[in-house]
Amino acid sequence: AIEVERLTKTYTIGTTVHAVDGVSLNVPHGSFTAVMGPSGSGKSTLMQLIGLLDAPTSGRLTVNGRDVEGLADEERTRLRGKEIGFVFQSFNLMPKLTVLGNVTLPMQFQGVAARERLRRAEELLARMGMSDRLHHKPNQLSGGERQRVAIARALANEPTLLLADEPTGNLDSRTGEEVLRLFAELHAQGYTIMLVTHERRVAERAERIVHMEDGRIQEIEALTAA
Amino acid sequence: AIEVERLTKTYTIGTTVHAVDGVSLNVPHGSFTAVMGPSGSGKSTLMQLIGLLDAPTSGRLTVNGRDVEGLADEERTRLRGKEIGFVFQSFNLMPKLTVLGNVTLPMQFQGVAARERLRRAEELLARMGMSDRLHHKPNQLSGGERQRVAIARALANEPTLLLADEPTGNLDSRTGEEVLRLFAELHAQGYTIMLVTHERRVAERAERIVHMEDGRIQEIEALTAA
Ligand SMILES: Nc1ncnc2c1ncn2[C@@H]1O[C@H](COP(=O)(O)OP(=O)(O)OP(=O)(O)O)[C@@H](O)[C@H]1O
Ligand SMILES: Nc1ncnc2c1ncn2[C@@H]1O[C@H](COP(=O)(O)OP(=O)(O)OP(=O)(O)O)[C@@H](O)[C@H]1O
Ligand SMILES: [Mg+2]
Ligand SMILES: [Mg+2]
């Protein structure tokens, strides 16, 4: 479970930008949350704070009962690498590695044996419809193919928390549907999922929608009629 | 007007990938065409060939009555810089320039005076809702903000042909609507527009939808009931 308390993230470049401007939120274990809001409203920034990819300016973040600020670097790194899977809005694949290399890399960091890494990477990529692109480099892929590799990579270490920032933004509806079906399966298996999307019909696959605007939460809309 | 005749683009990396596999298409002057199709079906590749950003493996491309292959380098460069505006699926902004710098750069190449460059850039960026981000660098922007800068940049030299690859993919529906309204205006002013999208409701703003699959055109769907 994750508890976000009065989190802020401020940038100062000339003017002051309040990217996240006081966000409090409870993310129960095993829940499926969608995040929507206008461009620039702080969705990606909030996700990066929750994913321990960035430090807040103020406020508190508690993950599995432990205040993130109090964690030793080693423990933070372990959490990020082992427990959290992050799908970036702009994919952030390693340009010099192939599709297979990109997906096996996080497993290497967790000490997974070579044979198992390959098996798991091939399985995830097959699920993403990418089996015929295993040896391509990112610049030899289409936009939606890169997005699918980014998703496979995020799932490589079977994280307990999946944070996906616009995971279907570059996918046609059929391929996007495949991804959402996979997420629904993972959710049923017990994953905690947060996904940012600007498409309402994608958000409606979650249990609730957090609506953001100007760095704050405007409303949390419950979707599952009990 | 643009005439595409039996265009192909083939990549060979281990196996042979027919990214564009024999496409023939007429793009009348002043028309508004949407392109849809599954991830990896060749949409971006086709757009890059039409935008003279890449050379086909075979086939012929005629722009304004002139075979592109027969053009001198200087003439190709002039066409690309002056006549064609391209919005990339992954934005491709210059990381070291500010928002303003990114939008004024193409005008600099066309010898536009400094004062006019600034005026035009500010006008386009205001239209994109980006006036309060003029001095940010691309890595200080949200995904949708980068997309809007990429759109403003493509329009900087008032191109006669606008090629937009997933221009609303990272935008919330309201901001996306703003962009589509601008495109409709430009179309009314005489621009020729081609846009790739995976969202049907975006495609329906065009006069017709070109449906691609496996590097070929499956169908051209007319939208404007005469
Ligand atoms: N440099 C390259 N080398 C090898 N294959 C490539 C290269 N560039 C693209 N491809 C392949 O060509 C095919 C078409 O790519 P393209 O980018 O045109 O697809 P797309 O329709 O735009 O897809 P998307 O909707 O995912 O953006 C893809 O399957 C891709 O893997
Ligand atoms: N490094 C930075 N320096 C200054 N401002 C920044 C920086 N990074 C982000 N911002 C600003 O913070 C705001 C929130 O950014 P964020 O990426 O979280 O938005 P978002 O909701 O994900 O938007 P989108 O839907 O367009 O992806 C934006 O207005 C952006 O300009
Ligand atoms: Mg974002
Ligand atoms: Mg594409």
Side-chain angles (χ1 to χ4, degrees):
Chain A
I2 301 164
E3 269 139 62
V4 175
E5 291 170 72
R6 290 178 311 277
L7 222 59
T8 71
K9 181 71 184 180
T10 305
Y11 296 107
T12 311
I13 49 163
T15 57
T16 301
V17 177
H18 298 280
V20 172
D21 196 17
V23 165
S24 298
L25 177 68
N26 223 338
V27 185
H29 194 74
S31 60
F32 191 164
T33 305
V35 180
M36 296 189 83
S39 172
S41 55
K43 308 180 297 295
S44 295
T45 304
L46 177 64
M47 293 281 273
Q48 284 157 24
L49 293 174
I50 291 174
L52 310 184
L53 293 166
D54 199 2
T57 303
S58 71
R60 185 166 58 184
L61 179 62
T62 309
V63 179
N64 293 337
R66 306 181 56 197
D67 188 332
V68 156
E69 196 167 354
L71 295 177
D73 272 352
E74 216 171 34
E75 180 63 7
R76 271 178 95 95
T77 306
R78 191 198 74 86
L79 259 182
R80 264 205 315 264
K82 194 172 188 316
E83 303 290 331
I84 299 169
F86 204 106
V87 186
F88 292 88
Q89 189 169 6
S90 49
F91 323 143
N92 294 6
L93 299 178
M94 311 255 81
K96 299 215 165 95
L97 299 181
T98 61
V99 164
L100 215 46
N102 265 282
V103 179
T104 51
L105 187 68
M107 290 187 260
Q108 238 173 321
F109 288 144
Q110 296 301 320
V112 177
R115 197 191 214 135
E116 174 62 9
R117 292 200 300 265
L118 190 61
R119 187 202 67 75
R120 188 152 174 74
E122 288 184 335
E123 181 184 342
L124 283 164
L125 289 162
R127 189 69 200 264
M128 293 281 99
M130 292 292 297
S131 300
D132 54 357
R133 294 283 181 271
L134 299 184
H135 306 290
H136 284 231
K137 294 224 173 65
N139 67 352
Q140 295 170 325
L141 297 175
S142 77
E145 290 169 345
R146 284 174 207 157
Q147 187 151 43
R148 285 181 271 163
V149 176
I151 293 166
R153 177 179 67 173
L155 297 173
N157 282 322
E158 294 172 316
T160 51
L161 174 64
L162 174 64
L163 302 172
D165 197 347
E166 297 274 2
T168 61
N170 280 282
L171 299 176
D172 57 283
S173 43
R174 199 134 155 250
T175 314
E177 192 48 41
E178 276 306 305
V179 169
L180 296 176
R181 206 168 298 163
L182 174 60
F183 284 16
E185 256 173 59
L186 297 173
H187 180 230
Q189 286 172 28
Y191 279 62
T192 304
I193 303 179
M194 284 187 80
L195 76 80
V196 173
T197 179
H198 71 263
E199 287 184 71
R200 175 85 198 183
R201 61 175 198 80
V202 172
E204 287 177 345
R205 307 291 284 262
E207 294 168 322
R208 62 180 181 165
I209 304 177
V210 169
H211 293 278
M212 284 190 75
E213 197 166 331
D214 296 325
R216 299 192 205 98
I217 292 178
Q218 297 299 316
E219 177 202 348
I220 298 181
E221 179 189 354
L223 288 175
T224 43
Chain B
I2 300 161
E3 270 141 60
V4 175
E5 290 171 73
R6 291 181 308 279
L7 223 59
T8 71
K9 181 70 185 182
T10 304
Y11 296 107
T12 310
I13 49 164
T15 56
T16 301
V17 179
H18 298 282
V20 172
D21 195 17
V23 166
S24 298
L25 177 69
N26 224 341
V27 185
H29 196 74
S31 59
F32 190 164
T33 304
V35 181
M36 296 189 82
S39 172
S41 57
K43 307 179 295 296
S44 295
T45 303
L46 177 64
M47 294 282 274
Q48 283 157 26
L49 293 173
I50 291 174
L52 309 184
L53 292 165
D54 198 4
T57 303
S58 73
R60 184 165 62 183
L61 179 62
T62 309
V63 179
N64 293 335
R66 305 181 57 194
D67 188 330
V68 155
E69 193 166 357
L71 295 176
D73 273 350
E74 214 172 33
E75 181 63 9
R76 273 178 93 96
T77 307
R78 190 197 75 85
L79 260 181
R80 264 206 314 265
K82 194 170 183 324
E83 304 288 333
I84 298 171
F86 205 105
V87 185
F88 293 88
Q89 188 169 6
S90 48
F91 324 143
N92 294 4
L93 299 177
M94 311 253 82
K96 299 215 167 99
L97 300 181
T98 62
V99 164
L100 216 45
N102 265 282
V103 179
T104 52
L105 187 67
M107 290 188 261
Q108 239 174 319
F109 287 141
Q110 296 300 322
V112 178
R115 194 189 215 138
E116 174 63 7
R117 292 203 297 267
L118 191 62
R119 186 201 68 74
R120 186 152 174 75
E122 288 182 336
E123 181 184 342
L124 283 164
L125 289 162
R127 189 70 201 261
M128 292 283 102
M130 292 292 296
S131 299
D132 54 357
R133 294 282 181 271
L134 299 183
H135 306 290
H136 284 230
K137 294 225 174 66
N139 67 351
Q140 294 169 327
L141 296 175
S142 76
E145 289 168 344
R146 284 174 207 157
Q147 187 150 42
R148 285 181 272 163
V149 175
I151 294 167
R153 176 179 68 173
L155 297 173
N157 282 323
E158 294 172 316
T160 51
L161 174 63
L162 175 64
L163 302 173
D165 197 347
E166 296 275 359
T168 60
N170 281 281
L171 300 176
D172 57 281
S173 44
R174 199 133 155 251
T175 314
E177 191 49 39
E178 275 307 304
V179 170
L180 296 177
R181 206 168 301 165
L182 172 60
F183 283 15
E185 256 173 60
L186 297 173
H187 179 230
Q189 287 173 26
Y191 278 62
T192 303
I193 303 180
M194 283 186 81
L195 75 80
V196 175
T197 179
H198 72 263
E199 287 182 69
R200 175 85 197 183
R201 61 175 199 80
V202 171
E204 289 178 343
R205 306 293 282 264
E207 296 169 320
R208 60 178 183 167
I209 304 176
V210 169
H211 293 278
M212 285 190 75
E213 197 167 332
D214 297 325
R216 299 192 205 99
I217 292 178
Q218 297 299 318
E219 177 202 348
I220 299 183
E221 180 189 353
L223 288 174
T224 42

